[in-house]
Amino acid sequence: MYSIPYLDLPPLGHAAGTVQLPGSKSISNRLLLLAGLSEGTTTLVDLLDSDDTRVMLAALRTLGCAIVQDGRLTRITGFAGRPQVASAELFLGNAGTAMRPLTAALAVLATQQGGAAYTLGGVKRMHERPIGDLVDALRGLGCTVDCLGTEGYPPLRVAGGTLDLAAPVKVRGDVSSQFLTALLLALPLAATDRAVTIEVVGELISKPYIEITLNLLARFGIAVERQGWERFVIPAGSRYVTPGEVHVEGDASSASYFIALGAIAGVDAPVRIEGVGAASIQGDIRFKEAAEAMGAVVHAEPNALEIRRGAWPLKAIDLDCNHIPDAAMTLAVMALYADGPSTLRNIASWRVKETDRIAAMACELRKLGATVEEGEDFLRVEPLARFQPASIHTYDDHRMAMCLSLAAFNRLNPAGDGEHAVPVRILDPKCVAKTFPDYFEALFSVVEARAADIPVITIDGPTASGKGTLSASVAAQLGWHTLDSGSLYRVTALAARRAGVSADDEQGLAATARAMQLRFEGVRVLLAGEDVSDELRDEAVGMMASRISAWPAVRAALYDLQCGFRQLPGLVADGRDMGTVIFPDAGLKIFLTATAAARAERRLNQLIAKGISASLDDLRADLEARDERDRTRATAPLRPAEDALRLDNSQLGIEASVQQVVAWWNARQPFDAR
Ligand SMILES: Nc1ncnc2c1ncn2[C@@H]1O[C@H](COP(=O)(O)OP(=O)(O)OP(=O)(O)O)[C@@H](O)[C@H]1O
Ligand SMILES: Nc1ccn([C@H]2C[C@H](O)[C@@H](COP(=O)(O)O)O2)c(=O)n1
């Protein structure tokens, strides 16, 4: 996951490959609650691991469930309708799928257990999301529910009361279907002696989510009788019975981003999505039909989808999106690539989600340059001929981040010239943790970008100037990859030494460099499967690396390997010739220096930390000799690129150096501060 303030997406190109979807959030949190309420142990396979499921798991633990997580399996031993604690304060983040059903379940349980009292709260936005319709329904049933802040909003306290099930329980269905889901999940706890009827007031929205609820209830032994979409009867004698093992299918809403990706960029080969398909019980699977209406070519298997681009530009649509409320957001961004204005209707529920998604989507699409009309319950988006670079606010809303990432395909824009392309900055990218923590990693694994579009910062300089340290920290701040090019010369030196190849044998060394079987695992370097990272830092290996790196054939042998590190979303490369030879088109080049005295002292401290003693004078003499050789060799000598910025960190701390480089980088980016 990218836990950084912003992630810049360079202009992206074609897409192909396979994505494994994380488990469905809606199914995961429903299953967790059902397992928690049941007697016995339920094993959930491929449960979603995200912010929203973590708060549900924590709440269930607090209430007395035993939970064991073991790889793909989560085993939950339920509290069988009797929480182990009579009072608890539950923090539920911004997870509506936890807040609503837990409120209902605990309100009902609190009526059955004298003295029980539970409070349920979350983050600030959760306290702005209405829950009044559910509170009214529960109070109508005889539960005692207090709103601790604003009436009709969390935080809530449920405590005591007397259930009266004689009359049907009434609940509004036109703001959020989660209120009905909450009652459907909670009321089997009360339907022991008599059937309980729920009546929906108003037109029920998001019906597919109710189908998921009914489907999962059935698996736990509760066969709800549905009478149209107005009445639901929970049979007398209801009792939750664990089905044993349940597999969590992939998240159909999350699939929408990759379906869109195939429709926009699946040009030569399809994008394959595994984990969800035609057999899905999730309503958002019908996003597939909306994408097909826009031109996508979709091949559906029971548990997988393959998507290719069909019509291009995409076809504009005018669609009632009530049946795919979450996935429909993705259509708003696809509309930028369409052949006319697209209208998404019946989406009023967007306004009470993680953020007011109609307002947020309109605002962010306009930043890209789009013309957008926003109504109480609709959004009309015109195709965009020329995208503007934009810094996208994500409103702590995972779907805003994932949808807007699709704007990075603007190089493919059918109304564009194929040349004009802009990056997209996604602010607070870690908000995807709510449902899809590794979304951006998954995206980068199936998309391509022109090498020239992938940003590079080079950091060259003499030995022990702090290149590696600076490079790693800048890369961590930007979410980029690193290339420690010195380690490639060092590993060549080590491989040659082991193979008995002389430092004077240019062709033998080049052959050694080409034949090396290397693997990089983070900062670790593996040579023929052996982790040689520590050995590479030997002073003798460094000295030999300096000698062999003077040979043009050795440098040529390592050229392609180094270029291959230029991968999405960006690269910070350090060495001697990064800015002059390997990445001459880098967007920012730094020449990092420090006095020989400072560098020798840093090296000494490094050795002392490793328990190795050395003389400061010897170290200084060695590094000066190495610098001299690196500077004076004929091929790719150590020198600043003409357009490099110089940074002397003799007196500048690591953090200050990092902030300086990031500031230089940002000053060159096209994003404004909106
Ligand atoms: N600005 C700084 N101030 C003080 N110490 C620093 C600074 N930058 C780096 N160092 C320290 O200097 C030492 C050498 O840093 P580093 O290994 O990053 O240098 P390098 O240029 O990559 O070296 P080499 O060329 O040998 O690979 C490390 O112990 C590091 O913590
Ligand atoms: N781009 C590079 C990187 C390194 N070298 C050579 C010269 C250095 O003395 C030696 C070891 O590098 P270090 O790990 O100390 O950065 O490798 C080079 O020629 N070009």
Side-chain angles (χ1 to χ4, degrees):
M1 188 170 66
Y2 287 89
S3 297
I4 48 179
Y6 51 86
L7 175 64
D8 291 350
L9 306 178
L12 300 176
H14 292 174
T18 301
V19 172
Q20 189 70 46
L21 284 181
S24 154
K25 176 185 69 161
S26 305
I27 294 178
S28 293
N29 265 356
R30 281 170 176 78
L31 284 173
L32 281 173
L33 183 60
L34 288 166
L37 295 174
S38 299
E39 199 173 324
T41 300
T42 308
T43 300
L44 303 179
V45 185
D46 290 342
L47 184 77
L48 172 65
D49 177 17
S50 74
D51 287 352
D52 281 13
T53 51
R54 257 174 252 140
V55 292
M56 180 63 111
L57 280 163
L60 291 177
R61 275 200 185 97
T62 303
L63 294 169
C65 293
I67 299 173
V68 179
Q69 290 179 285
D70 177 13
R72 293 175 58 195
L73 307 183
T74 305
R75 291 191 191 85
I76 298 143
T77 305
F79 52 70
R82 281 179 304 283
Q84 306 294 294
V85 289
S87 69
E89 279 193 24
L90 305 177
F91 173 78
L92 302 171
N94 196 8
T97 54
M99 173 62 83
R100 282 79 182 256
L102 270 170
T103 296
L106 291 175
V108 169
L109 291 173
T111 64
Q112 298 169 342
Q113 298 178 343
Y118 306 100
T119 58
L120 304 96
V123 299
K124 185 167 167 284
R125 174 64 187 166
M126 176 60 93
H127 298 171
E128 296 165 358
R129 298 175 69 182
I131 196 167
D133 293 336
L134 179 61
V135 170
D136 289 346
L138 292 169
R139 284 178 182 159
L141 255 175
C143 301
T144 304
V145 185
D146 297 319
C147 300
L148 302 178
T150 309
E151 184 58 25
Y153 295 84
L156 306 168
R157 180 171 185 272
V158 296
T162 308
L163 284 185
D164 176 3
L165 300 165
V169 183
K170 292 193 187 304
V171 65
R172 275 185 62 183
D174 52 356
V175 174
S176 168
S177 66
Q178 285 187 16
F179 302 147
L180 175 56
T181 280
L183 292 175
L184 286 166
L185 293 174
L187 288 175
L189 297 166
T192 41
D193 304 330
R194 59 178 305 160
V196 179
T197 300
I198 305 172
E199 275 181 11
V200 178
V201 180
E203 171 75 18
L204 179 64
I205 62 166
S206 309
K207 297 182 181 78
Y209 284 107
I210 299 303
E211 293 192 89
I212 296 179
T213 305
L214 297 179
N215 183 308
L216 298 180
L217 277 165
R219 291 200 210 172
F220 280 77
I222 314 290
V224 176
E225 183 192 334
R226 176 167 76 76
Q227 300 171 355
W229 291 103
E230 296 85 38
R231 283 170 69 88
F232 298 83
V233 181
I234 300 168
S238 286
R239 194 171 69 87
Y240 282 120
V241 180
T242 173
E245 185 171 295
V246 189
H247 180 255
V248 182
E249 64 178 63
D251 193 294
S253 314
S254 298
S256 72
Y257 315 112
F258 294 96
I259 294 173
L261 186 59
I264 295 168
V267 178
D268 306 316
V271 172
R272 184 174 168 83
I273 301 169
E274 293 189 341
V276 76
S280 172
I281 62 167
Q282 299 166 72
D284 270 357
I285 194 65
R286 290 191 58 202
F287 175 84
K288 158 186 158 316
E289 294 157 28
E292 283 170 323
M294 292 192 83
V297 177
V298 183
H299 164 74
E301 298 169 20
N303 205 31
L305 300 168
E306 282 190 1
I307 306 93
R308 287 173 183 269
R309 184 197 272 184
W312 194 248
L314 296 174
K315 292 186 244 170
I317 50 166
D318 186 327
L319 190 70
D320 181 329
C321 298
N322 189 264
H323 61 299
I324 47 169
D326 287 340
M329 291 174 74
T330 310
L331 299 172
V333 186
M334 291 173 78
L336 300 176
Y337 303 99
D339 58 3
S342 293
T343 307
L344 311 180
R345 300 184 190 280
N346 207 355
I347 54 170
S349 67
W350 285 22
R351 294 211 181 266
V352 292
K353 297 283 181 156
E354 280 78 346
T355 187
D356 177 342
R357 286 175 168 171
I358 295 184
M361 185 60 83
C363 175
E364 301 312 309
L365 291 177
R366 285 184 191 125
K367 282 187 194 167
L368 291 163
T371 302
V372 182
E373 189 189 340
E374 174 195 341
E376 239 345 272
D377 69 345
F378 77 90
L379 201 63
R380 186 170 181 275
V381 182
E382 300 209 7
L384 186 51
R386 198 172 175 92
F387 283 66
Q388 293 167 11
S391 209
I392 300 292
H393 273 281
T394 49
Y395 307 81
D396 199 17
D397 184 344
H398 53 141
R399 300 210 185 285
M400 287 297 293
M402 295 189 276
C403 286
L404 269 300
S405 70
L406 297 171
F409 290 90
N410 58 77
R411 182 180 284 297
L412 306 177
N413 181 11
D417 54 15
E419 284 310 310
H420 173 84
V422 297
V424 176
R425 171 165 288 185
I426 303 289
L427 298 174
D428 189 26
K430 69 174 183 318
C431 65
V432 299
K434 190 167 169 57
T435 48
F436 201 159
D438 291 333
Y439 170 73
F440 289 106
E441 288 84 345
L443 177 70
F444 295 142
S445 74
V446 289
V447 298
E448 284 173 12
R450 289 186 185 181
D453 283 338
I454 301 177
V456 178
I457 296 175
T458 60
I459 300 176
D460 288 309
T463 302
S465 54
K467 303 180 298 298
T469 307
L470 180 60
S471 166
S473 298
V474 170
Q477 186 145 336
L478 297 174
W480 291 5
H481 303 280
T482 55
L483 164 59
D484 168 9
S485 60
S487 71
L488 304 184
Y489 290 95
R490 286 173 184 261
V491 75
T492 307
L494 181 68
R497 216 163 63 169
R498 288 183 175 182
V501 178
S502 153
D504 300 321
D505 176 1
E506 180 176 4
Q507 296 312 323
L509 290 165
T512 304
R514 280 192 297 271
M516 289 185 299
Q517 289 183 1
L518 293 180
R519 222 174 60 232
F520 301 90
E521 291 179 358
V523 292
R524 314 300 294 176
V525 182
L526 282 81
L527 174 63
E530 181 195 347
D531 185 345
V532 293
S533 319
D534 294 336
E535 212 174 327
L536 293 187
R537 299 315 306 172
D538 250 34
E539 287 303 291
V541 174
M543 196 57 100
M544 180 160 169
S546 172
R547 286 184 62 193
I548 66 162
S549 65
W551 293 117
V554 173
R555 304 199 75 81
L558 293 175
Y559 178 81
D560 286 346
L561 179 60
Q562 294 174 84
C563 293
F565 278 75
R566 190 172 196 164
Q567 286 180 12
L568 288 167
L571 175 69
V572 187
D574 82 87
R576 306 296 187 283
D577 62 342
M578 296 295 99
T580 50
V581 176
I582 308 295
F583 303 111
D585 63 338
L588 175 65
K589 300 176 186 176
I590 306 294
F591 195 77
L592 186 67
T593 55
T595 61
R599 291 186 287 123
E601 197 168 323
R602 290 175 190 174
R603 187 62 92 219
L604 180 66
N605 289 337
Q606 275 182 311
L607 292 173
I608 291 172
K610 285 189 204 161
I612 303 169
S613 60
S615 127
L616 188 61
D617 290 342
D618 289 351
L619 282 175
R620 181 169 172 165
D622 277 359
L623 67 83
E624 283 181 326
R626 178 127 71 99
D627 290 347
E628 180 63 10
R629 185 173 28 241
D630 294 345
R631 238 191 323 260
T632 55
R633 68 186 175 217
T635 309
L638 165 65
R639 64 173 174 78
E642 275 176 16
D643 49 350
L645 300 180
R646 288 164 193 263
L647 182 62
D648 185 325
N649 69 2
S650 310
Q651 302 294 328
L652 195 64
I654 295 172
E655 189 46 34
S657 308
V658 173
Q659 293 322 321
Q660 176 63 81
V661 173
V662 172
W664 276 333
W665 173 253
N666 275 326
R668 294 178 177 202
Q669 299 315 298
F671 308 113
D672 62 24
R674 280 180 305 160

